[in-house]
Amino acid sequence: MYSEHSSIVIHEISKLQSPEQLWSPYDWYHDMIVNNPIYYDEKQNVWNVFRYDDVNRVLSDFKLFSSIRKRSVSPIPPVITRVDINSTDPPIQRDIRKLVSSAFTPRSLKEWEPRIRGIAKELIDNMKQMNKPDMISDLAVPFPVTVISDLLGTPRQDLHYIKNWSDILFFPNSEVDVTDQAKRKYRAMSEFNEYLLPIVKEKRQNPEQDIISDLTLAAYEGTQLTDEEVVTFSLGLLAAGNETTTNLLGNMFYTFAYEQKGIYQEILSNRSLISNAIEETLRYRFPITLDRVLTMDSDVLGVPMKKGDVIVIWLGAANNDAEQFPEPNKFDIHRENSNKHLSFGKGPHFCLGAPLARLEAQIALECFIEAFADIVPTETFNPALHLHKGTQNLLTLPVELKIVDKSII
Ligand code: HEM
């Protein structure tokens, strides 16, 4: 049963309380990596792993560390159809994934590229007219939700509903209002389902060139997906890539404007650095925790663990493990192994949308570079004071933008 008892409150584990600590959890990560790499938290009744190699191991070994679990750091209400990709293991998870994996390969995405570029260009062109542009509300939020809803085929005028439901569903538990949050998530899930059902029915009658239409034609275990199953799957896809891609874009532009001022100019003069800047952002500042459950007693991580024990996996810490990434606190777009970060996970559940997220970030930055010669900080902005409650995610990012002067090109 989904209830507050199924929740794991990660801030109760980390004890990161102040906004400054949440924004900069690196000292705590390093302390845990060195002094407490496999840590049992009694109150939350979970193990925690921090080191790169341990995180890699847990995510890769689905036979020992299963996704079939009742407790989670960010529980969404349980999926009651056959197509629950998140809480299953291979081979079932692999078969479910196959239903849409072809839509997210870099090759398929090539076909969508002009449309994705068009969306980015329109948002960025609008920013040229603005006195006080905000990288979060003017680009990092609307861009991914517009792209994914276009890919799925939901109407443009409904983006704000989709964004709102996605945020509620994926919001991590906070220590204060777990019960309220569970209710909010249930409500969002049911509204999102009700919203999608007529769209799915309509597309089954009149298929178009989009992923929902493709799903209505797809077969699973020898039968066609039902409308409810197409809804489940579509909802997961619409919700999964919003907040994460928003954070990727927000964190990247924050670093350019406020932390490492020379980097934007360096990328302007050498655009081949764009993809490494994206990978390094995913490594350097990306707050994700996942969870798994042990399928049998084991001491593979060096301590005795019991069947049924829950493990919280700190991807942000693993990405800052000095054993894997020397000088981890340095944002370095010349780092050779930035793309070894684990922000997209690892193993069978490796992010299905990773090629899309990477393409979106690449296109956003390319279009941004075409439009703006510089991105500079506003005087008084303190990121720690503008975080989504209890998270490391920016709610706002005001900047000043210098428009490219085409007359001197
Ligand atoms: C920067 C952006 C993104 C990040 C950091 C990210 C991160 C992740 C991570 C860590 C997982 C693994 C979950 C686990 O192992 O339990 C995952 C899975 C997934 N992601 Fe993403 N994601 C991003 C963007 C997207 C986008 C744009 C989509 C759009 C379709 C998407 C769809 C999915 C799906 C469907 C899964 C489940 C895959 C499976 O269980 O087989 N993600 N993502």
Side-chain angles (χ1 to χ4, degrees):
M1 174 60 195
Y2 173 74
S3 72
E4 65 266 41
H5 304 299
S6 58
S7 300
I8 302 162
V9 183
I10 53 165
H11 301 307
E12 286 281 303
I13 300 166
S14 71
K15 312 283 187 295
L16 298 170
Q17 298 293 352
S18 72
E20 286 74 18
Q21 287 172 322
L22 284 164
W23 178 241
S24 260
Y26 305 105
D27 288 348
W28 182 72
Y29 286 166
H30 297 152
D31 183 43
M32 296 310 276
I33 285 171
V34 174
N35 300 315
N36 252 324
I38 309 288
Y39 164 68
Y40 178 70
D41 185 274
E42 263 181 44
K43 198 165 164 210
Q44 295 296 310
N45 185 21
V46 290
W47 291 98
N48 293 270
V49 292
F50 301 91
R51 279 193 195 142
Y52 187 91
D53 288 346
D54 293 336
V55 167
N56 205 350
R57 170 82 212 250
V58 172
L59 291 177
S60 303
D61 186 352
F62 69 88
K63 289 195 174 137
L64 186 54
F65 302 101
S66 168
S67 290
I68 304 172
R69 61 214 190 277
K70 293 204 173 73
R71 299 181 65 213
S72 173
V73 292
S74 177
I76 50 173
V79 168
I80 41 176
T81 63
R82 292 179 297 173
V83 288
D84 179 1
I85 196 170
N86 282 309
S87 312
T88 44
D89 293 329
I92 293 175
Q93 174 264 356
R94 207 178 294 131
D95 291 343
I96 298 171
R97 196 175 158 111
K98 267 194 214 137
L99 289 167
V100 283
S101 53
S102 62
F104 290 96
T105 60
R107 209 155 106 222
S108 312
L109 289 171
K110 268 259 159 251
E111 287 171 29
W112 290 93
E113 197 176 323
R115 265 168 91 173
I116 298 176
R117 199 170 287 278
I119 296 167
K121 239 181 127 334
E122 192 180 329
L123 291 165
I124 287 168
D125 279 348
N126 289 342
M127 292 178 84
K128 287 185 190 163
Q129 327 298 329
M130 294 177 188
N131 282 332
K132 293 188 174 168
D134 187 300
M135 296 307 302
I136 303 294
S137 57
D138 297 324
L139 183 64
V141 165
F143 182 45
V145 70
T146 312
V147 170
I148 194 71
S149 93
D150 266 25
L151 256 68
L152 270 285
T154 54
R156 275 273 177 104
Q157 70 266 22
D158 299 337
L159 291 180
H160 59 288
Y161 295 118
I162 291 172
K163 171 68 183 153
N164 188 36
W165 289 320
S166 314
D167 282 355
I168 297 172
L169 286 174
F170 279 86
F171 201 73
N173 302 309
S174 80
E175 64 278 31
V176 272
D177 60 354
V178 171
T179 314
D180 276 0
Q181 243 181 342
K183 285 187 192 146
R184 274 201 298 278
K185 287 188 186 209
Y186 254 114
R187 200 176 321 124
M189 184 77 144
S190 102
E191 288 172 5
F192 208 165
N193 271 303
E194 275 171 35
Y195 163 79
L196 283 172
L197 193 57
I199 295 178
V200 169
K201 286 184 187 297
E202 167 61 26
K203 285 190 191 285
R204 196 183 287 283
Q205 295 306 318
N206 302 300
E208 291 173 87
Q209 293 284 338
D210 56 49
I211 292 175
I212 294 185
S213 300
D214 290 351
L215 281 169
T216 62
L217 302 169
Y220 179 64
E221 293 173 331
T223 55
Q224 254 194 344
L225 289 181
T226 64
D227 289 345
E228 288 70 23
E229 286 165 346
V230 177
V231 165
T232 306
F233 217 115
S234 308
L235 188 156
L237 293 172
L238 281 165
N242 275 323
E243 203 211 350
T244 42
T245 313
T246 295
N247 288 340
L248 166 57
L249 297 173
N251 288 340
M252 182 168 73
F253 286 110
Y254 173 82
T255 309
F256 296 164
Y258 287 87
E259 268 190 358
Q260 299 240 357
K261 302 213 59 236
I263 288 187
Y264 187 66
Q265 294 307 324
E266 200 181 339
I267 295 172
L268 270 181
S269 56
N270 180 1
R271 297 184 188 191
S272 69
L273 292 169
I274 288 180
S275 75
N276 222 33
I278 294 165
E279 298 305 318
E280 182 64 352
T281 305
L282 284 160
R283 181 201 71 80
Y284 173 72
R285 183 181 287 120
F286 219 88
I288 296 197
T289 43
L290 298 174
D291 36 66
R292 296 290 190 264
V293 67
L294 253 99
T295 55
M296 61 183 99
D297 293 0
S298 169
D299 57 5
V300 288
L301 294 177
V303 292
M305 293 175 168
K306 291 262 167 234
K307 179 177 178 181
D309 283 358
V310 174
I311 304 196
V312 174
I313 305 151
W314 293 81
L315 304 184
N319 289 338
N320 278 272
D321 184 343
E323 290 279 315
Q324 179 71 19
F325 303 105
E327 294 189 76
N329 280 349
K330 189 169 162 204
F331 182 89
D332 178 3
I333 55 168
H334 299 285
R335 193 183 285 279
E336 279 177 6
N337 65 347
S338 299
N339 64 357
K340 294 276 181 286
H341 66 75
L342 296 171
S343 292
F344 288 123
K346 180 89 186 197
H349 288 274
F350 180 82
C351 177
L352 185 69
L356 174 61
R358 286 179 160 135
L359 181 66
E360 286 181 41
Q362 174 87 23
I363 289 176
L365 193 45
E366 283 171 4
C367 294
F368 193 84
I369 282 172
E370 288 297 319
F372 299 111
D374 207 357
I375 171 167
V376 290
T378 58
E379 264 167 35
T380 52
F381 181 69
N382 175 358
L385 301 179
H386 298 282
L387 300 179
H388 214 135
K389 189 169 149 246
T391 71
Q392 200 188 4
N393 307 336
L394 285 172
L395 277 173
T396 176
L397 180 57
V399 290
E400 282 176 29
L401 300 172
K402 308 261 183 280
I403 296 179
V404 169
D405 181 355
K406 301 272 184 198
S407 65
I408 57 168
I409 294 177

